Amino acid sequence: MIRKFKLIFPVLIGILLISCNQDPTSVGYDLIKDDATLSFHLFNTDSANVKTNSYTYQRNLQLGISSKLLVGKNDKYEAQALLRYEFSVPDSVITLAQGNNLNISEASIYIKLKYYLGDKSLPFDFTVHRITSYWSTAGFNTDSLDALQYDYRDIAYEKTVDDTSITFKIDPSIVLDWIKYSADSNAAEPNYGILIKPTNNTQRIVGFNAYQLFTDTDLPALTIMYGRNEVTDTLSALPYMDVHAIKGDPVISDNDMVLQGGLFNRGFLYFDLADLPKNIIVNKAELELYIDELKTIDGVPSSDSIIVKVLADSVEKSYTSDSTITTILSRDGDKFKGDIAWIVQKWVSDTSYTNQGLELYLADEKESLATIWIYGARSVNEGIRPKLKITYLKSR
């Protein structure tokens, strides 16, 4: 016990409302009577020898809503991206195309890079292919990629890759087909877009902005140069459907929590808090997770935040009614830290809220291919196991 004092309950409430980081439900504030004698206590899962469990598992999520597309490969994984462009062209251009009088002299794509995994000096190369089968972002995964049909001919040329961008030109006849198809679906081969694949000598991964419903900032732009009445004009198009998929086996650990972007590896963490008193007000519950930096592979921007969700069932990995409420752990040197006081308060105060553990995942798991390795509950070194330090108020 740190100190004792006597407070009038309404004053205590005011202090707690200021000091608590998160309080979605205010559970716990009716557990201490007015004018009670209170004391601060510290419950440390390390010193209390609390039973802890942790491991890695996978979620089956969709990459179609990712805000970035990844392309490239390393010694463990390969990322491929699909893009389909939408055309809004003047009627005069459509008339030229339908009359076979549209001359497209050049079609180029400019990609502004937003993500990097691996040394920028390592080789990066790619091929571009015309997709010949239907696909949709809904439910697209590695199996969908394996079933995809495409022309094996590389339709890209004059490729340029630097630290900030990728540019290349594609076969103008294909773009002409796309324009014809946009005007009349019977006039040309369907527009199923392009597939971007890394070559075998590629040793790093890059990322760029994907289509989002409310923004088109820095999307891979297709610029078309065409002739009309001896005058060269330009048209631009942006992708309206895109997705990437990852090939490679996720890292699964029965003890450590290996959080991986792109593969949806998540961590399970459980602390047995049966010895924690029930009628308390949790002021702070700091969760600390230590990083195995030798096994961690991070990108730029770094995966520096972990999302914590409450589980309703530790076997089914189902969520509670508070699943939309999340807590963020931020990286601090060699560990992640964050306050999960509201979760612990629900566990000890709400009889309908059983402690079934926590789910942990990278905040950027859809946009990265990082591997963040967290030491587990059975690590040989006790000092780097997951820790939970709970500060609480209890009446006497």
Side-chain angles (χ1 to χ4, degrees), residues 113-270:
L113 299 180
K114 300 288 187 175
Y115 177 80
Y116 308 88
L117 184 70
D119 192 320
K120 291 183 182 180
S121 65
L122 292 173
F124 181 89
D125 196 9
F126 61 94
T127 56
V128 180
H129 306 271
R130 182 179 189 173
I131 299 173
T132 58
S133 63
Y134 175 80
W135 60 275
S136 171
T137 57
F140 198 94
N141 55 26
T142 303
D143 292 337
S144 307
L145 193 62
D146 291 337
L148 190 73
Q149 297 177 27
Y150 59 90
D151 186 340
Y152 287 91
R153 179 174 64 98
D154 184 4
I155 64 171
Y157 59 99
E158 293 187 19
K159 305 171 190 177
T160 302
V161 180
D162 58 35
D163 287 349
T164 60
S165 65
I166 295 173
T167 58
F168 57 91
K169 296 177 182 179
I170 62 174
D171 186 342
S173 66
I174 293 175
V175 178
L176 179 58
D177 278 351
W178 291 345
I179 293 176
K180 289 180 178 180
Y181 182 78
S182 67
D184 182 355
S185 60
N186 295 315
E189 293 295 321
N191 174 12
Y192 294 132
I194 58 174
L195 170 68
I196 305 177
K197 296 181 58 175
T199 57
N200 289 333
N201 65 314
T202 295
Q203 297 176 31
R204 58 189 175 97
I205 293 165
V206 299
F208 48 94
N209 281 2
Y211 169 77
Q212 298 287 286
L213 185 60
F214 300 108
T215 180
D216 59 1
T217 305
D218 291 334
L219 293 179
L222 170 61
T223 301
I224 305 161
M225 298 180 64
Y226 68 97
R228 180 175 56 177
N229 299 327
E230 299 182 354
V231 176
T232 299
D233 287 333
T234 60
L235 289 172
S236 295
L238 295 175
Y240 75 100
M241 185 180 295
D242 50 34
V243 69
H244 73 265
I246 310 298
K247 289 187 174 184
D249 296 324
V251 179
I252 301 297
S253 174
D254 292 334
N255 177 37
D256 293 334
M257 293 174 287
V258 187
L259 312 184
Q260 289 188 285
L263 300 164
F264 303 123
N265 259 21
R266 296 188 171 188
F268 172 80
L269 180 60
Y270 172 80

